[in-house]
Amino acid sequence: MDGESATVVVIGSGAGGAPLTHTLVRAGHRVVVLEKGPLLRTQAQSPGGLSDFKRDECFATGSEKRITVQGVANTGESFYSSHVEPDLNDEPHVYRDSDGRDRVTIEGYTAQLVGGGTQLYGGVSPRFTPEDLRLATLNASRGDLRDDPGGEVRREARDWPLDYAALEPYYTRAEELVGINGTWGGQAKVPSQDRYQPPLDPNPISAYAAAGMDALGMRRYRTPLAVITRDHPPSGRTVPADADSIKTAFVNRYGDPLGLKSNVWVSLLAPLREVNGSGGLDLRANCTVTHLEADGPRVTKVHYRDPGGWPRTITAGTVVVACSAIESVRLLQLSGLLDPAFDKRVNANGLLGRYFLTHCFGGAQCIVPERADKSRTLDSDWATDHCARPEWFRAQGLWAGGVIYNNTSDGALPLSLARTWHAMDMDSMWKGYLYDTGIVGDGFEDYLEDSFGRRLSVAFMANQVPQRENRIELHPSVTDKWGRPVAYIIKSWHPHDRALMDTLAEQCRQILVRGGDVRDVSSGSVGGSVVRIANHVLGGARFGTNAADSVLDPDCRVWNFDNLYVTDGAFMPTSGSANPTLTIEANSFRVGDVLLDRVGRT
């Protein structure tokens, strides 16, 4: 409806948008949330008791399509579309490959639906360590850093404009309101309150990872997971009487039809339907925001297309952009493309899109003697902060460390083994072992005998070195179905990233080697694979205390605007030593309190 207005408009309903929406609506405000994707309901939310999820959220099984985008290296290649990610021909991302050629990809889309990527992630939800927020200070006087010939690590490291103590209460709020299970003993992070629900019993295969961590003297803890194991009063969700039935490997990479996975739709947004006479939350699914319009330092209008494709506008008092880092940066860049005055304000220092980050990641895998039913598990059982401790990563000549945890649910079923065998990125997951001609006949039986229920992996997540040239731009020639330039991702790995990944991958390998009678142990990292941008899209609009050195102020407000905020992972100046979702949620709760002070408390 053209001409309407709202006090707050939030663009995106995932980890960056839902917590502050929850805060504002609970305080009595009306918030319009514009979500590009559909609303998929759980069984309990559906009038007919049938969930909207199809159990193929990431892996499409429909008809084969061909890439028709012209001017890229993979024109003509086949692909399959998922119903929660864009068709590659409609709205691709483009990345510059190592050969200098452009290729279209769906990587970098966390998921387009209400709840965003929290609908499909495995739920691994550790906090960052206090050291993650002050890496510039920790490394300022060091002369022992490995593989840093140009001195970029110390020069480009940035402290966050808030410390762990300032963020800690919001971590606690997120753990309580979202619904996390896990344990604190052994963590390198100290909570002010324990809001974890108790974890379920680990899967038997995880005993090898636990034994390996113990043998190496690594303090371990039950991995914090965004899955409820007890009734959850803040959201009104309840668990089955048989708690063990909560365990399902489908939690990872699939939507949860039961609503037990604590995505932000079921935990934070759906409960708001009962608040303020159900008028506080105005959630509009299948609405694509095209650009923002400003009058001087104030964003005045949000332009979007409704579910029928019709252009609409809404006048906003405050605008929060939370589309996931790549698309948030792209939206601001598209708005600047249409209005040079907007561009001058949002990108006055030339940093919008710069310092794009993912995570350094990788790990190790092996084959264990006994077969386990890996379908009866959640995503991870055991984690350790051993390699996130300053004394450890300093001894290795590294600028930062990372969390290590075992992936319990990977390859849980023959179908998931098929889809991930030799598949290194989101575009090729569906190809599975079709490219391995040895997996036929006896080879297929041998493959299942060795891999099904017997494959165990251990993974790490660690800080990536910020590089100015790692960036998000608008592509000069490829456009989406509405004629707008698509996101263009240019990214490489710093030599120190590779050293860090090799070191942590070896730690993962040692955990498995020391874990018992295992075989075929191998390790590797993203630095040696074709994975490009899929893992945790962060940065591109970092926050800081200096307007010349950041895009956002400490409250995540765009420096030269009075009422424009960015609250997804784009705000991060460093990527942290663990999965980022809980930190994004905690920061969004923090910004929600900031907005309450600015828009008023009813």
Side-chain angles (χ1 to χ4, degrees):
M1 293 177 288
D2 293 337
E4 67 171 323
S5 62
T7 304
V8 180
V9 175
V10 178
I11 305 167
S13 63
L20 65 89
T21 298
H22 182 93
T23 298
L24 293 169
V25 174
R26 286 285 182 187
H29 291 283
R30 174 175 172 264
V31 179
V32 175
V33 178
L34 299 173
E35 168 56 49
K36 189 175 185 180
L39 170 61
L40 301 182
R41 299 164 300 177
T42 66
Q43 291 178 359
Q45 295 167 346
S46 173
L50 183 64
S51 171
D52 295 321
F53 289 106
K54 300 178 180 178
R55 288 271 165 106
D56 66 347
E57 274 69 51
C58 272
F59 308 108
T61 54
S63 59
E64 181 183 23
K65 299 180 180 180
R66 296 281 176 177
I67 296 173
T68 59
V69 178
Q70 298 301 303
V72 296
N74 52 346
T75 301
E77 290 187 7
S78 59
F79 72 97
Y80 290 82
S81 284
S82 160
H83 66 285
V84 295
E85 290 164 328
D87 187 301
L88 269 175
N89 293 321
D90 287 343
E91 194 177 16
H93 287 157
V94 179
Y95 69 97
R96 182 185 294 173
D97 210 344
S98 56
D99 61 4
R101 304 174 73 189
D102 290 349
R103 287 174 166 80
V104 298
T105 179
I106 60 168
E107 285 194 65
Y109 283 103
T110 55
Q112 294 184 168
L113 74 163
V114 174
T118 66
Q119 289 276 21
L120 303 186
Y121 73 151
V124 175
S125 299
R127 299 182 179 191
F128 287 180
T129 67
E131 291 74 26
D132 287 324
L133 310 188
R134 54 188 188 98
L135 289 176
T137 298
L138 281 177
N139 290 286
S141 60
R142 293 184 64 184
D144 61 337
L145 290 170
R146 300 164 49 189
D147 298 276
D148 186 27
E152 292 93 352
V153 175
R154 285 188 299 170
R155 184 173 66 251
E156 298 291 13
R158 293 295 184 274
D159 287 347
W160 289 35
L162 75 168
D163 60 13
Y164 181 82
L167 192 58
E168 198 284 330
Y170 297 102
Y171 272 132
T172 298
R173 187 185 300 183
E175 287 156 354
E176 178 180 16
L177 295 181
V178 172
I180 310 291
N181 80 77
T183 60
W184 282 109
Q187 289 202 43
K189 290 81 68 170
V190 179
S192 59
Q193 300 178 70
D194 183 353
R195 298 300 188 185
Y196 283 160
Q197 293 191 343
L200 303 173
D201 291 339
N203 187 279
I205 201 171
S206 298
Y208 292 91
M213 292 175 184
D214 291 346
L216 293 169
M218 298 178 170
R219 296 184 66 196
R220 57 184 165 90
Y221 54 91
R222 291 300 305 277
T223 310
L225 297 173
V227 179
I228 57 171
T229 59
R230 298 289 189 273
D231 292 350
H232 187 246
S235 65
R237 290 177 292 154
T238 59
V239 298
D242 177 9
D244 209 46
S245 66
I246 297 170
K247 295 180 181 178
T248 169
F250 280 111
V251 160
N252 188 13
R253 295 195 180 277
Y254 289 87
D256 175 19
L258 298 180
L260 302 177
K261 178 161 65 173
S262 295
N263 63 75
V264 294
W265 159 242
V266 296
S267 62
L268 299 179
L269 295 180
L272 297 179
R273 293 175 298 180
E274 307 303 322
V275 177
N276 299 341
S278 73
L281 174 64
D282 186 348
L283 174 62
R284 305 180 188 182
N286 298 305
C287 290
T288 300
V289 175
T290 58
H291 63 285
L292 308 178
E293 182 180 339
D295 182 5
R298 292 193 62 80
V299 174
T300 54
K301 293 182 179 179
V302 177
H303 294 260
Y304 70 99
R305 292 184 179 272
D306 68 15
W310 293 99
R312 305 291 186 189
T313 62
I314 182 169
T315 301
T318 298
V319 175
V320 179
V321 179
C323 315
S324 187
I326 293 173
E327 286 300 301
S328 287
V329 168
R330 179 188 175 217
L331 176 60
L332 297 178
Q333 291 174 334
L334 288 170
S335 302
L337 189 66
L338 294 172
D339 180 1
F342 187 103
D343 183 64
K344 187 175 181 180
R345 286 187 177 277
V346 79
N347 196 25
N349 54 17
L351 291 182
L352 180 64
R354 298 283 177 169
Y355 297 104
F356 172 63
L357 297 162
T358 57
H359 264 120
C360 290
F361 67 106
Q365 64 177 346
C366 69
I367 302 297
V368 304
E370 303 89 9
R371 196 180 313 281
D373 183 357
K374 295 183 67 177
S375 68
R376 295 180 61 82
T377 186
L378 298 179
D379 191 38
S380 175
D381 284 321
W382 295 106
T384 178
D385 293 339
H386 180 84
C387 298
R389 298 175 302 122
E391 55 268 34
W392 184 88
F393 61 75
R394 282 178 178 273
Q396 308 299 318
L398 300 175
W399 83 305
V403 67
I404 294 175
Y405 56 90
N406 77 293
N407 296 113
T408 319
S409 69
D410 60 329
L413 300 171
L415 183 61
S416 59
L417 285 171
R419 286 169 164 163
T420 58
W421 180 252
H422 286 184
M424 298 300 298
D425 59 76
M426 291 298 294
D427 298 335
S428 66
M429 275 189 172
W430 63 269
K431 296 176 181 177
Y433 48 57
L434 295 178
Y435 287 164
D436 191 336
T437 56
I439 303 185
V440 295
D442 291 342
F444 180 72
E445 292 185 8
D446 293 342
Y447 170 77
L448 289 182
E449 174 63 26
D450 275 350
S451 298
F452 181 46
R454 297 173 62 189
R455 194 173 72 183
L456 175 64
S457 64
V458 176
F460 66 84
M461 292 290 165
N463 281 277
Q464 181 188 3
V465 174
Q467 297 184 76
R468 182 185 175 94
E469 292 308 303
N470 283 350
R471 63 195 187 272
I472 304 160
E473 297 180 347
L474 297 179
H475 198 273
S477 61
V478 179
T479 58
D480 64 19
K481 64 182 179 181
W482 295 288
R484 306 177 304 161
V486 302
Y488 188 24
I489 296 94
I490 300 169
K491 181 178 180 292
S492 64
W493 296 104
H494 190 275
H496 192 78
D497 292 332
R498 297 182 183 276
L500 184 154
M501 289 188 281
D502 289 345
T503 303
L504 282 171
E506 174 60 19
Q507 292 294 303
C508 293
R509 192 184 75 85
Q510 287 296 326
I511 288 172
L512 295 178
V513 168
R514 300 289 294 276
D517 182 20
V518 302
R519 63 179 176 83
D520 297 344
V521 181
S522 62
S523 64
S525 71
V526 67
S529 76
V530 299
V531 177
R532 302 167 296 264
I533 58 175
N535 193 270
H536 303 159
V537 292
L538 308 165
R542 70 185 183 190
F543 72 163
T545 57
N546 184 350
D549 191 48
S550 55
V551 178
L552 311 174
D553 75 3
D555 293 332
C556 290
R557 178 182 60 86
V558 177
W559 277 107
N560 294 315
F561 282 100
D562 296 336
N563 64 336
L564 178 60
Y565 296 78
V566 179
T567 57
D568 52 38
F571 81 90
M572 293 186 181
T574 51
S575 52
S577 64
N579 303 51
T581 302
L582 185 72
T583 300
I584 295 171
E585 291 167 341
N587 183 66
S588 182
F589 277 120
R590 182 184 70 90
V591 176
D593 278 357
V594 170
L595 292 178
L596 271 185
D597 290 336
R598 295 185 180 180
V599 303
R601 299 175 185 267
T602 61

